Each structure stands twice: as C-alpha cells, then as structure tokens.
Amino acid sequence: MLGLLQGLICVSLAHSAVSVPAQPAQLAWLPPSHPHQRPAPRGEYRMEPGYSPYPGGKDAPELRMPSGFSRNIPERRIHSHNDYWRDVPVYTALSHGALSIEADVWLNPKDDKLYVSHNVASLTRARTFSRLYIDQLVDVLSRANVHDEETAFFDKTDYWTMANEREERRLWTSFYEGNLTPIQLLVDLKTRGNETYHTVLRELEPLRSRPVLVLLTGNGINLDVRSQVAPQMSRDVFLDAPLLRLDETWQGMDGGHYGWNSTLAPMASASFASATSWDGRKAISAAQETTLSQLLRTAQGRGFKTRLWSTPRWPTHVRDRVWRTLYDLGTDWLDADDIEAAAAF
C-alpha cells in the first residue's frame, strides 16, 4: 500500500510539472484552508503588513475582537484642556489615551440648550453640548462595552451573572478594557445661574448609566451651584474644587454649613500661574519646588486629585520642563492643550 501511495504521489507531481509551467513570480500563496493550495516556491513568500491567513482577510470573524476598540491605546492621566478645540472632540483625546476631557458650555435662553465654545463669538447652532459630547460618549462607551448575542452566548462561562454583578461590571468598565477608571468629563459653565446648572443636569441624562465621572467647573463651582450640590445625600454630578481655597466654607440651601471635601469634589484645580511663581524658563529652585510639592501633597492628603491648568505651551522645551517637573512632583492630572505631544511625553 505504501509503495502504491508513493507511486501516486510521484505521478501527481510529474503531472503537475508537465501541465503547469513553472512561473515562481506568479504563483500565489493560498491559506491552508484553501482547497487548491499550492505552496509558494521557497524564498517567494514573506510576511507583509496587513496580511491575514483567514478567508475574508482582515475582516474575517476570527479577527473581530470586542476589546479591540481601544487596543494598543495605553491609558494616560492626561486632561484634554479645551477639548472642543480639537478637530474631532472626544475621539482625538481618547485615541491618545487621555482619560479626562473638558467642554465649555453656554446656555442660550432662546431654546434652553447648551452650546460649546470658548467664547460667544465662536458659538454655532451645530455645536451643541449634546451633539459634541453626550451623544459621542454614549456611542464610544456602547462600542467599547459590547452587549449582544455573543455576550449572551457566553453568559454562563464565568461566575458572574448576566443580570446582576456581570451587568454592573459591564456598565462600570471604562473605555479601556479591564480598567475601572471612568472617563472624566469636566463641564465648565460659562453662563451663570441656576438655569445653566439645571440644564446641564437635564442634558446629562443619557450618561447616567455610563462610566463617566462628571465634574462642574468655572461658574459651576460658584456659590449658587455649590449651595445646591453640597447638601445632596446622593449625587452623580460633582465639583472641581479650587486648589488654593480648600478651606473655604459656605451655607447650603438647606441652611447647613459645608466645606470642600473629596466626596463633593474628587479633584482640586488651579491655574499654573496662580499656584507658583516659577515660569519654567529655568530649572525650578529648591524653594519653589518645596512650595509646589507641599501644595499638591496637602490636597492629595485630603483625598483630592490635583490638576494645574494653563501650563506654558511655548517654547516647547519650557512646556516639557514644566510637564516633567509636575509629573515628578506627583500631580494626578497632566493638563494639556497639545494632546499629541502629551501622549508622546
């Protein structure tokens, strides 16, 4: 039998040699599952970018991984300052691993909607808070936290139950697979008054079941707003505390007296220029470093995350020196206008 098989193989090879002229440069390498596979001549095959051995190429179902949405994007504790300036708000920052973004909002009393811009002159009807931020964050988190027929197929594979713990874990898994750090959204209220605050609460409704930590800043920490937020026993919108005024107190709408704490305000911020006399042009002095370090450590000791905004942007060597110093001193958030430079830092 073995001899017969060997003879058949020889005949087959001989037949191939006669019927198919040898043209190595034109022979295509076919994947193992192909019914008419012919191995590429030795030296004619090599790996190339974009190659896939699966039928369907890069679109093959075997290569469709749910957690691939943020694959190879390391999380970075970068705050995307003035995020709405970017070509594509939300996505540009998240694609570089930033975990915090910021939107300045203005209430238009003509339609009771929030619009995004740094100043009134740059407002347009198309750039609404809902369209630029709420809708996009809902879309991003829906794509990152897949819940479909595939999820249901494997719902009993581990010890989590789909209706309880597993669902809770799914909702509170952030854009980064397996990381329980939520995306942080700072909403800087540009228009004053309770109307703006209550409009923000209304427009945030689609995010309430999503892993997004919302902090109000700007006019959002004025007395009229914090006097309402502080007395709340249960809240899903928080404040950005003033880093240089953490000891101030105020009276709430319920008549009680309140002060800054990390339960009310998970983060404390200040402008770089107000926090230190050092401008970054030269190496920081020992005295300036001690003062800045104590400011950050004191706030962190009380449970606040720290952020210094509007750090120098130019010259770039000054910017990088300031970033390096703040990072070494242990600031929790690196505030950045140039998100690409901060990601490569």
Side-chain angles (χ1 to χ4, degrees):
M1 179 64 74
L2 179 59
L4 178 59
L5 289 175
Q6 291 175 336
L8 290 174
I9 292 173
C10 291
V11 170
S12 177
L13 291 176
H15 177 73
S16 298
V18 172
S19 60
V20 181
Q23 296 178 338
Q26 299 179 12
L27 289 177
W29 187 88
L30 301 177
S33 59
H34 197 283
H36 304 295
Q37 175 184 3
R38 288 179 298 176
R42 187 174 180 181
E44 290 296 316
Y45 169 70
R46 63 181 180 181
M47 285 290 184
E48 294 182 354
Y51 162 75
S52 171
Y54 299 94
K58 290 192 293 184
D59 294 327
E62 293 90 340
L63 303 180
R64 312 294 288 185
M65 184 172 65
S67 61
F69 186 67
S70 59
R71 185 169 50 196
N72 292 331
I73 303 177
E75 68 171 46
R76 298 178 170 98
R77 298 198 72 82
I78 296 173
H79 173 69
S80 180
H81 186 233
N82 293 334
D83 180 77
Y84 49 87
W85 282 352
R86 313 203 182 285
D87 291 339
V88 185
V90 176
Y91 291 92
T92 300
L94 295 182
S95 70
H96 286 88
L99 288 172
S100 182
I101 56 180
E102 176 182 353
D104 292 359
V105 299
W106 304 74
L107 175 64
N108 187 347
K110 292 183 178 179
D111 60 2
D112 292 325
K113 290 183 180 180
L114 296 172
Y115 293 84
V116 177
S117 177
H118 192 66
N119 51 47
V120 175
S122 299
L123 292 171
T124 70
R125 296 186 185 186
R127 293 174 63 83
T128 66
F129 181 54
S130 292
R131 183 68 185 124
L132 281 177
Y133 283 88
I134 304 300
D135 293 352
Q136 305 314 317
L137 284 170
V138 168
D139 180 65
V140 163
L141 292 166
S142 297
R143 293 175 186 274
N145 296 286
V146 180
H147 183 63
D148 54 14
E149 66 275 6
E150 295 280 10
T151 311
F153 180 75
F154 293 103
D155 64 347
K156 299 184 184 301
T157 302
D158 64 13
Y159 60 86
W160 296 92
T161 61
M162 183 61 66
N164 298 309
E165 293 94 345
R166 189 183 180 100
E167 181 69 7
E168 182 177 351
R169 182 179 67 170
R170 183 186 70 82
L171 291 174
W172 286 98
T173 297
S174 77
F175 176 69
Y176 303 94
E177 184 70 16
N179 185 343
L180 296 182
T181 302
I183 296 173
Q184 180 172 273
L185 171 64
L186 264 66
V187 184
D188 188 331
L189 277 58
K190 291 299 184 181
T191 46
R192 295 175 177 269
N194 293 329
E195 294 81 2
T196 305
Y197 167 62
H198 290 292
T199 303
V200 169
L201 295 183
R202 185 183 73 242
E203 295 197 5
L204 285 172
E205 184 60 35
L207 289 180
R208 289 209 151 79
S209 62
R210 308 287 176 171
V212 178
L213 177 64
V214 178
L215 277 64
L216 303 182
T217 189
N219 288 322
I221 65 170
N222 285 350
L223 181 59
D224 56 344
V225 175
R226 59 179 138 120
S227 64
Q228 298 180 64
V229 178
Q232 297 173 4
M233 299 300 294
S234 176
R235 67 176 71 89
D236 58 6
V237 173
F238 304 86
L239 305 179
D240 177 23
L243 181 59
L244 303 180
R245 307 194 312 273
L246 292 180
D247 292 327
E248 65 182 358
T249 60
W250 64 91
Q251 186 174 10
M253 292 189 66
D254 61 348
H257 293 278
Y258 297 90
W260 293 110
N261 60 75
S262 58
T263 301
L264 171 65
M267 184 173 69
S269 303
S271 69
F272 176 77
S274 68
T276 178
S277 60
W278 177 56
D279 60 9
R281 291 179 178 271
K282 297 180 181 179
I284 190 169
S285 68
Q288 291 168 326
E289 182 177 7
T290 298
T291 301
L292 193 52
S293 177
Q294 288 178 344
L295 176 67
L296 299 176
R297 291 183 181 276
T298 299
Q300 291 168 340
R302 295 174 56 174
F304 298 98
K305 303 295 184 182
T306 58
R307 177 182 68 107
L308 294 179
W309 46 272
S310 287
T311 53
R313 292 189 286 175
W314 185 89
T316 55
H317 73 275
V318 172
R319 177 200 66 195
D320 291 349
R321 181 183 293 124
V322 171
W323 279 350
R324 171 57 60 188
T325 300
L326 292 177
Y327 180 84
D328 290 344
L329 290 178
T331 190
D332 296 284
W333 291 101
L334 198 64
D335 196 88
D337 290 289
D338 189 335
I339 206 73
E340 292 83 0
F345 174 68

